[in-house]
């Protein structure tokens, strides 16, 4: 009875495609998908439960299709003079990106991105039938304004996707690059700021560029800094006209009443929810220091993870860590692995394991 995917009448452009595949094994120390490793504090969890309890009383009704309370909460959280009309939310920023590509991409259209970057950008492009154009990066994974403009002039994409700080490299995004890209295209420019809260305090972000730039979209998520990955809440800030475009493609009632209630309650406690961010940043910086002392080459990072080079055999090191009940991410970047910053104890477990592994699998010196 069972048939294979290839035997189904699937779209030709999806034949041979590979699904998103970060493994989800049960291990003691999971540092592979950049989750916030700190659970939601009890007092916040109680408030979220009370809000969900209230929402359950009217669960027989469809949710607020415009999630007005949530958009007002998100606007207040972001500041920058943004109002509810500039905000839009969905089930994770992945759905935000999907809606963006449904509205502005699609068959016959293209999106320019700069690998190595978040793998879902190209996967969602494929799912929406949008051609993915892979741009190149400069030294140390940076993208200069000139490089971005050169790719835009060459390919005339309908959308340009940036990721700052970039996953999986941690690289900061130069806002001059975003400004130059915006001026060089008549298309949509999206900056994925999933890791914005882990940037050094006081840094400008693409939110500062929004006034007067109606085609600029800044995507954020509650999955990382807010320790809310399981709730699935992503959002964007943009001109209200962009949001009108998304209303054409979103499914009605896409955000459940329970999701809306949970997110509104969590945002009320933003300072507590974000109080772990400084801890995580401290553990990240510790990883960078200690990996470097071991002889590896960690890259500059403004996120909650570290990409490090000098790994002689990434698959072997990955397997040795897994044997110690620790999982990191092998993204297929030669000589590299990526590790998420954990709690102090998880970070210690990872660093101790690496010190031991590096004795049998010594790091290779990378010539800069
Ligand atoms: C983790 C991550 C996200 C989060 O996606 P959600 O769907 O909001 O969980 C988005 N963008 C990047 C670059 C990420 O690394």
């Amino acid at each position: 009875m069972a048939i294979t995917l290839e035997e189904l009448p699937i779209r030709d452009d999806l034949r041979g495609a590979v699904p998103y595949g970060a493994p989800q094994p049960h291990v003691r120390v999971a540092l592979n998908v950049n989750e916030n490793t700190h659970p939601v504090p009890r007092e916040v969890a109680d408030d979220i439960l009370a809000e969900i309890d209230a929402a359950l009383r009217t669960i027989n009704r469809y949710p607020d299709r415009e999630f007005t309370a949530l958009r007002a909460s998100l606007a207040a959280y972001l500041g920058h003079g943004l109002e509810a009309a500039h905000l839009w939310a969905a089930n994770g920023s992945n759905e935000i990106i999907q809606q963006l590509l449904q509205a502005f991409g699609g068959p016959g259209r293209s999106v320019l991105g700069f690998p190595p970057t978040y793998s879902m950008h190209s996967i969602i492009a494929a799912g929406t039938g949008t051609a993915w154009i892979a741009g190149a990066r400069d030294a140390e994974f940076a993208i200069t304004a000139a490089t971005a403009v050169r790719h835009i002039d060459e390919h005339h994409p309908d959308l340009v996707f940036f990721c700052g700080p970039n996953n999986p490299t941690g690289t900061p995004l130069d806002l001059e690059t975003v400004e130059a890209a915006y001026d060089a295209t008549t298309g949509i420019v999206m900056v994925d700021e999933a890791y914005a809260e882990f940037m050094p305090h006081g840094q400008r972000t693409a939110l500062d560029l929004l006034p007067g730039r109606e085609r600029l979209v800044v995507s954020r998520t509650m999955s990382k800094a807010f320790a809310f990955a399981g709730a699935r809440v992503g959002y964007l800030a943009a001109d209200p006209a962009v949001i009108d475009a998304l209303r054409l493609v979103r499914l009605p009632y896409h955000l459940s009443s329970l999701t809306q209630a949970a997110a509104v309650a969590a945002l009320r406690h933003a300072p507590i929810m974000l109080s772990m961010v400084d801890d995580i940043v401290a553990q990240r910086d510790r990883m960078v220091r200690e990996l470097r002392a071991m002889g590896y080459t960690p890259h500059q990072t403004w996120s909650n993870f570290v990409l490090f080079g000098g790994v002689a055999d990434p698959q072997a090191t990955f397997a040795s860590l897994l044997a110690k009940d620790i999982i990191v991410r092998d993204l297929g970047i030669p000589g590299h692995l990526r590790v998420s910053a954990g709690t102090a104890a998880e970070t210690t477990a990872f660093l101790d394991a690496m010190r031991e592994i590096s004795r049998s699998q010594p790091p290779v010196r990378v010539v800069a």
Side-chain angles (χ1 to χ4, degrees):
M1 268 309 283
I3 60 164
T4 63
L5 170 58
E6 286 73 38
E7 294 170 83
L8 287 171
I10 192 172
R11 270 163 41 192
D12 287 337
D13 60 318
L14 288 181
R15 284 188 191 280
V18 180
Y20 177 79
Q24 285 197 297
H26 291 281
V27 293
R28 183 172 52 96
V29 181
L31 302 176
N32 62 331
V33 287
N34 304 339
E35 290 154 334
N36 189 321
T37 51
H38 299 61
V40 172
R42 185 70 248 172
E43 62 209 285
V44 184
D46 286 343
D47 200 29
I48 293 171
L49 274 176
E51 201 75 41
I52 288 177
D53 187 72
L56 274 173
R57 315 287 152 172
T58 54
I59 203 81
N60 55 313
R61 301 291 181 185
Y62 281 111
D64 175 4
R65 211 169 47 219
E66 290 288 315
F67 38 99
T68 321
L70 175 56
R71 289 162 70 202
S73 301
L74 289 168
Y77 168 66
L78 287 183
H80 285 81
L82 293 166
E83 293 170 11
H86 300 105
L87 271 293
W88 186 250
N91 296 283
S93 49
N94 281 312
E95 191 180 45
I96 290 282
I97 294 164
Q98 183 176 53
Q99 291 179 350
L100 208 58
L101 285 170
Q102 285 176 316
F104 298 101
R109 292 192 165 213
S110 63
V111 54
L112 168 67
F114 296 88
T117 192
Y118 186 41
S119 62
M120 284 309 299
H121 289 174
S122 53
I123 292 174
I124 301 169
T128 58
T130 313
W132 171 254
I133 301 164
R137 287 177 178 259
D138 300 293
E140 266 304 301
F141 302 117
I143 310 166
T144 64
T147 293
V149 170
R150 180 166 50 82
H151 282 99
I152 291 167
D153 288 347
E154 186 179 338
H155 299 287
H156 303 288
D158 299 282
L159 300 100
V160 182
F161 280 5
F162 292 109
C163 186
N166 186 51
N167 180 8
T169 62
T171 319
L173 175 63
D174 192 340
L175 291 186
E176 277 175 27
T177 298
V178 180
E179 290 178 281
Y182 187 89
D183 291 340
T185 180
T186 52
I188 295 288
V189 175
M190 193 269 298
V191 182
D192 184 335
E193 292 195 338
Y195 300 99
E197 288 91 344
F198 300 98
M199 290 168 55
H201 292 297
Q203 282 290 331
R204 276 160 40 95
T205 89
L207 291 176
D208 293 288
L209 303 183
L210 282 174
R213 291 188 179 84
E214 300 81 12
R215 295 173 287 107
L216 179 63
V217 175
V218 183
S219 165
R220 296 275 186 112
T221 181
M222 290 180 73
S223 292
K224 308 289 162 58
F226 257 89
F228 230 46
R232 312 303 303 127
V233 185
Y235 54 100
L236 64 72
D239 189 273
V242 170
I243 291 164
D244 282 338
L246 302 185
R247 285 191 179 92
L248 301 175
V249 297
R250 63 87 171 268
L251 298 175
Y253 317 110
H254 68 281
L255 266 189
S256 89
S257 334
L258 306 182
T259 304
Q260 295 184 37
V264 166
L267 285 160
R268 272 205 296 269
H269 299 280
I272 308 180
M273 295 291 279
L274 294 175
S275 64
M276 291 91 80
V277 165
D278 288 342
D279 280 0
I280 294 166
V281 165
Q283 297 308 321
R284 172 199 76 194
D285 291 344
R286 185 180 150 216
M287 280 177 163
V288 168
R289 274 195 315 273
E290 298 194 24
L291 284 168
R292 190 177 289 135
M294 288 176 220
Y296 296 100
T297 37
H299 295 275
Q300 182 191 15
T301 173
W302 276 11
S303 54
N304 66 345
F305 56 83
V306 180
L307 180 75
F308 59 101
V311 186
D313 184 345
Q315 284 177 1
T317 302
F318 177 91
S320 302
L321 285 167
L322 197 56
K324 294 176 185 299
D325 226 13
I326 299 168
I327 189 163
V328 297
R329 195 82 188 271
D330 177 3
L331 291 137
I333 302 176
H336 285 75
L337 287 173
R338 190 194 70 189
V339 59
S340 316
T343 60
E346 290 166 331
T347 302
T348 300
F350 164 74
L351 290 168
D352 287 350
M354 285 303 294
R355 255 183 292 273
E356 197 184 316
I357 292 166
S358 67
R359 283 196 278 275
S360 53
Q361 304 169 30
V364 280
R365 283 273 166 212
V366 179
V367 190

